[in-house]
Amino acid sequence: MSAPARNTQACALVVDDERDIRELLVLTLGRMGLKCDTASSLHDARALLRHNTYALCLTDMRLTDGSGLDLVREISQLYPQTPVAMITAFGNQEAAVGALKAGAFDFVSKPVDLSVLRGLVQHALKLGLEASAGGASRLADAAGPAMARLLGSSMAMADLRTTLAKVARSQAPIYIAGESGVGKELVARTIHDEGMRAAGPFVPVNCGAIPAELMESEFFGHKKGSFTGAHADKPGLFQAAEGGTLFLDEVAELPLPMQVKLLRAIQEKSVRPVGANGEVPVDVRILSATHKNLAALVEDGRFRHDLYYRINVIELRVPPLRDRREDVAQLTDAILARLANAQHRAKPVLHADALEALARYNFPGNVRELENILERAFALADDDGIRAADLRLPEMRPSAPAQAAAAAMDPSRIDPRESATSALPNFIEEIERKAIEQALTDNRYNKTRAAAQLGITFRALRYKLKKLGID
């Protein structure tokens, strides 16, 4: 439902039952070249929306005849090309989260910070222009080219693609949960590419791979001479993602002091480079992910609850491969085609026994493990194709950590036949070897992440690798 614009000058709709707030917003938007219509109630706002087209709507949370959330939902459904932002009471995190989930692209707190408001308006106008150019209809169809990268015809993947199409248009922070190897970064890239920020940069960062003493500089940048080795000004990851998306992978690895600074940067939409006197405004969308249980870390006090609620406005769960076994054949075909193309070879035939073995396997390492298995089989298979033996799948038995835990609880359960020898030291060494090799496989041989998964330091892992002769 829409109506032709009254003139070429962009017009905004301001909805608030406080006259002083309306006048402040009208004055601020007028200085940015925007005409404004105002409404003090849901009834008046709906009447104006029926007869006019708006480049932006700002609405208060509480109105005389209802909730601004209702207006957000109606605009998202009936006028999808009009970005809408919510004005909330300071510190009312629940209201802000509700607005974003209802379809608001952003929110601003009272008392209104005019610099934050100006940045929000500029972003809203850019969103509106891209939507009118066809972005909104493309998202509504949920059939953008980036979405095709999420392979699988299972119900779980169909649900995931449908949800992605909805959240891509929003600017709400999204937390992507899932086991190691399920494709959380691919999901994040898809959200970026299908959204209104697709023309901007996508900047992924592995939070577990940055030394703690360098985190502030890496995230926020630094000024020349601010510390030893700072020979020139350097922009941080936030500045690098300006106008686009910053993807915080393994966000659970952030130390608590950095969590405080990250929370402030997200809330204030500005960063202070190390050694700088002032802050730099930034316009980024935050996506985050981890394979850990972030809610449990919050309960344990290892992750700040306020940061958790700020990045977890919308939660997406990526299903493990064992929960969508019907997708294994399609994924296998696509991976083998990609490997063959990269190596300029013909795609090998996957024999029935190999496909059956893959269908039975649980894939603790998920899609990443499937890729590794097929890459190894592709390299070692004969000319007649890939057979089950070429896959070299691990035996279907409890994982090494599970065996170790069971043995610790009940020593009588130790079975010498599970090791190369009945000697206890060698048995324990074999358990360590299996656990380390599995962690390395899960993390694509990233030793920092493998050490974190095992719950040991990087130095301890390096010692054990040397001791066990693991290359």
Side-chain angles (χ1 to χ4, degrees), residues 19-274:
R19 181 177 177 180
D20 291 345
I21 296 293
R22 293 199 304 270
E23 291 179 351
L24 173 64
L25 295 175
V26 168
L27 180 62
T28 303
L29 298 182
R31 289 174 177 172
M32 299 180 68
L34 285 169
K35 291 190 64 178
C36 290
D37 285 342
T38 62
S40 60
S41 65
L42 283 176
H43 177 271
D44 293 345
R46 287 164 176 158
L48 288 168
L49 283 164
R50 282 195 296 269
H51 297 95
N52 301 285
T53 298
Y54 294 103
L56 164 69
C57 176
L58 294 172
T59 179
D60 192 15
M61 179 70 182
R62 294 183 178 180
L63 300 169
T64 55
D65 56 348
S67 169
L69 281 177
D70 293 334
L71 188 61
V72 171
R73 294 188 185 96
E74 290 175 23
I75 292 175
S76 298
Q77 294 173 5
L78 302 176
Y79 314 97
Q81 292 185 353
T82 298
V84 56
M86 176 70 75
I87 304 171
T88 66
F90 177 76
N92 192 342
Q93 186 70 29
E94 184 179 349
V97 170
L100 292 168
K101 289 185 175 180
F105 80 94
D106 212 336
F107 67 91
V108 60
S109 299
K110 291 181 180 180
V112 177
D113 185 321
L114 296 184
S115 62
V116 172
L117 177 63
R118 292 188 192 100
L120 181 150
V121 171
Q122 290 170 353
H123 186 212
L125 295 177
K126 183 168 64 175
L127 285 179
L129 287 173
E130 291 175 351
S132 62
S137 61
R138 177 171 59 82
L139 289 172
D141 292 339
M147 203 71 75
R149 295 181 305 206
L150 297 175
L151 297 178
S153 56
S154 63
M155 183 64 71
M157 288 305 293
D159 290 344
L160 179 62
R161 284 191 292 267
T162 299
T163 304
L164 287 189
K166 294 178 181 178
V167 302
R169 183 177 183 270
S170 166
Q171 297 306 299
I174 296 177
Y175 168 58
I176 305 168
E179 299 175 4
S180 292
V182 294
K184 296 186 290 293
E185 183 172 338
L186 179 61
V187 169
R189 285 184 181 274
T190 303
I191 293 171
H192 170 78
D193 291 341
E194 289 290 305
M196 298 300 183
R197 293 177 176 266
F202 176 84
V203 179
V205 52
N206 185 336
C207 298
I210 303 176
E213 62 273 15
L214 297 179
M215 274 194 171
E216 188 172 0
S217 171
E218 287 295 314
F219 274 98
F220 308 140
H222 63 250
K223 305 296 287 185
K224 179 181 178 181
S226 56
F227 55 85
T228 303
H231 302 301
D233 290 355
K234 177 189 173 184
L237 293 164
F238 270 84
Q239 293 97 317
E242 176 68 24
T245 302
L246 181 62
F247 174 51
L248 305 176
D249 196 11
E250 298 303 340
V251 69
E253 304 301 327
L254 288 173
L256 285 170
M258 189 60 203
Q259 292 178 27
V260 178
K261 296 172 182 176
L262 178 63
L263 174 64
R264 189 178 189 282
I266 295 174
Q267 287 180 334
E268 301 299 325
K269 299 181 181 178
S270 62
V271 298
R272 185 189 295 272
V274 177

